[in-house]
Amino acid sequence: MTTRKVVIIGSGPAAHTAAIYAARAELNPLMFEGEMAGGVAAGGQLTTTTEVENFPGYKEISGPELMMKMRDQAEHCGAELLMKTVHKVDLSKKPFMVYWDKETVAADCVIIATGATAKRMGIPGEEKYWQKGMSACAVCDGALPLFRNKPLVVIGGGDSACEEATFLTKFASKVVLLVRRDELRASKVMQERTKNNDKIEILWNTEALEAKGENLLTHVHIKNNKTGEEKDIEANGLFYAIGHTPNTSFLEKQVECDETGYIITTPGTANTSVSGVFACGDVQDKRYRQAITAAGSGCMAALDAEQFLVD
Ligand code: FAD
Ligand code: NDP
């Protein structure tokens, strides 16, 4: 069995940035890209979107192309990439053990960059209209021309839903927020901001049953779960904001996570509760969840790992 200085698990912007920095620091990193781990292809969440318009350096680039460029750069810098999913780690002693298929590698440092997966509801029409009006990221997709001055629908009652509904009012003619209960889960300040926004209409006790349209989404079929009333409402956009699932189950609680499974890092660093194990990207960030913040924290993780190996 070989021992590597640095093993990186994940393949989104955080993992690739960590790989670029670790390779340039001559740490010979081995990166596990995953095989549809967490339901996402190697390359991470951006492989599931079309245009990315907010990653510095590119006015417009497709998500898959951006990730391919990051992958090329990581390989060019000397990182070794394996398109395999890590199913288990042993972080109880050093060197750490990383397991995939029937194989094992030992590692002095582990960088976890396994991301998070946006929850979907699986309503009829979802497959047909995904990225044709339907999305799980308003901040990413909301500014696209297809949503300009159009009625949009957001589903959820948490801080994300309130934040995304508010954000979408910049572009939409109107935003309808579908809340399945008669109250919001969001923080008080977000609730007030949402309720006081003239462009947002909240439909309480309301669920989405179906996405409808032609080539693009045009309507959402909704039901009031108190009265049983059903109807179609106009919607050129339907945004899920019903939470994310961080991809941390393979860690089997060996690293401290919060109550929703996100890895806890020491603020301002990529340090986790286990010395020598670092985390970056969406797997430790439930607030910003952007490619550029993931990449930035990947840089931090590699620099923290480099320092750890020197100390
Ligand atoms: P992710 O991109 O989540 O990638 C993690 C990778 O790790 C995945 O490929 C996964 O399969 C792999 N993995 C998981 N578990 C394992 C394992 N056990 N072993 C090996 N591999 C594993 N952000 C923007 O800044 N601009 C945008 O325009 C934008 N658009 C978006 C559009 C959509 C539809 C979505 C869903 C997100 C969008 N985002 C956008 C958000 C952005 O994609 C994420 O913030 C970013 O990808 C997070 O990067 P990450 O490196 O943390 O991990
Ligand atoms: P949450 O888990 O807090 O909220 C998810 C919301 O989606 C809930 O209102 C839930 O309803 C609703 N929901 C879940 N499943 C369904 C479904 N199948 N159909 C309809 N509605 C559904 O997730 P968030 O992403 O909003 O927030 C995650 C964390 O990130 C929180 O701690 C939040 O505070 C934080 N955050 C902070 C921000 C900030 O400070 N600016 C911004 C964004 C997030 P119900 O309430 O009935 O369970």
Side-chain angles (χ1 to χ4, degrees):
M1 183 179 37
T2 53
T3 301
R4 304 293 286 238
K5 288 195 178 107
V6 176
V7 163
I8 300 167
I9 310 174
S11 57
H16 283 298
T17 307
I20 289 164
Y21 274 77
R24 286 173 53 80
E26 299 186 342
L27 299 176
N28 188 25
L30 172 64
M31 183 172 127
F32 287 90
E33 298 182 271
E35 288 175 290
M36 293 306 290
V40 183
Q45 295 172 60
L46 286 185
T47 63
T48 68
T49 192
T50 49
E51 297 309 318
V52 176
E53 295 176 1
N54 54 10
F55 197 87
Y58 299 96
K59 279 183 285 190
E60 192 180 307
I61 184 166
S62 81
E65 194 188 347
L66 178 59
M67 292 321 302
M68 199 45 83
K69 283 181 185 287
M70 288 192 201
R71 189 180 192 281
D72 284 350
Q73 191 175 356
E75 278 198 316
H76 171 78
C77 291
E80 186 183 341
L81 275 50
L82 259 189
M83 206 173 284
K84 293 289 178 185
T85 297
V86 170
H87 64 81
K88 195 171 109 179
V89 290
D90 182 354
L91 308 177
S92 62
K93 54 186 183 310
K94 295 194 175 78
F96 304 120
M97 295 294 164
V98 175
Y99 304 91
W100 77 101
D101 292 345
K102 290 196 169 92
E103 299 190 58
T104 311
V105 65
D108 296 326
C109 276
V110 172
I111 295 177
I112 303 164
T114 46
T117 308
K119 290 184 193 161
R120 293 197 194 181
M121 291 170 61
I123 59 173
E126 181 178 301
E127 229 166 274
K128 182 167 180 192
Y129 297 111
W130 197 256
Q131 295 296 321
K132 290 181 176 168
M134 291 183 73
S135 158
C137 186
V139 177
C140 319
D141 297 333
L144 293 174
L146 102 135
F147 300 125
R148 298 278 166 136
N149 297 314
K150 297 281 173 33
L152 307 179
V153 170
V154 175
I155 304 178
D159 279 321
S160 295
C162 291
E163 199 167 76
E164 303 210 343
T166 306
F167 175 78
L168 288 172
T169 58
K170 288 189 206 168
F171 315 105
S173 57
K174 169 190 180 174
V175 177
V176 176
L177 182 61
L178 304 184
V179 181
R180 67 179 172 182
R181 293 187 292 136
D182 58 3
E183 61 177 344
L184 293 166
R185 178 186 290 276
S187 56
K188 282 278 169 289
V189 58
M190 291 301 287
Q191 292 198 23
E192 289 315 309
R193 205 172 291 163
T194 309
K195 288 174 182 169
N196 292 334
N197 190 319
D198 290 342
K199 282 179 90 176
I200 300 176
E201 179 187 4
I202 303 180
L203 297 182
W204 303 104
N205 302 304
T206 303
E207 295 170 26
L209 298 185
E210 188 180 352
K212 294 177 157 184
E214 289 172 13
N215 286 334
L216 297 173
L217 179 85
T218 57
H219 290 84
V220 180
H221 189 67
I222 60 169
K223 177 180 182 177
N224 183 307
N225 57 30
K226 279 269 155 64
T227 64
E229 188 201 350
E230 293 189 24
K231 63 179 174 185
D232 283 346
I233 56 169
E234 257 189 89
N236 294 84
L238 174 58
F239 295 85
Y240 289 152
I242 59 171
H244 285 70
T245 309
N247 298 316
T248 49
S249 57
F250 74 104
L251 295 171
E252 294 171 331
K253 300 195 167 71
Q254 295 176 75
V255 173
E256 198 185 338
C257 294
D258 72 7
E259 66 291 350
T260 49
Y262 284 86
I263 296 175
I264 297 173
T265 49
T266 309
T269 76
N271 298 344
T272 69
S273 59
V274 180
S275 163
V277 177
F278 305 92
C280 50
D282 285 15
V283 76
Q284 53 83 58
D285 171 18
K286 62 182 175 192
R287 179 161 183 185
Y288 298 105
R289 294 190 298 229
Q290 296 297 298
I292 191 65
T293 48
S297 68
C299 163
M300 289 164 65
L303 294 180
D304 285 349
E306 187 181 356
Q307 188 60 45
F308 171 82
L309 291 168
V310 168
D311 287 345

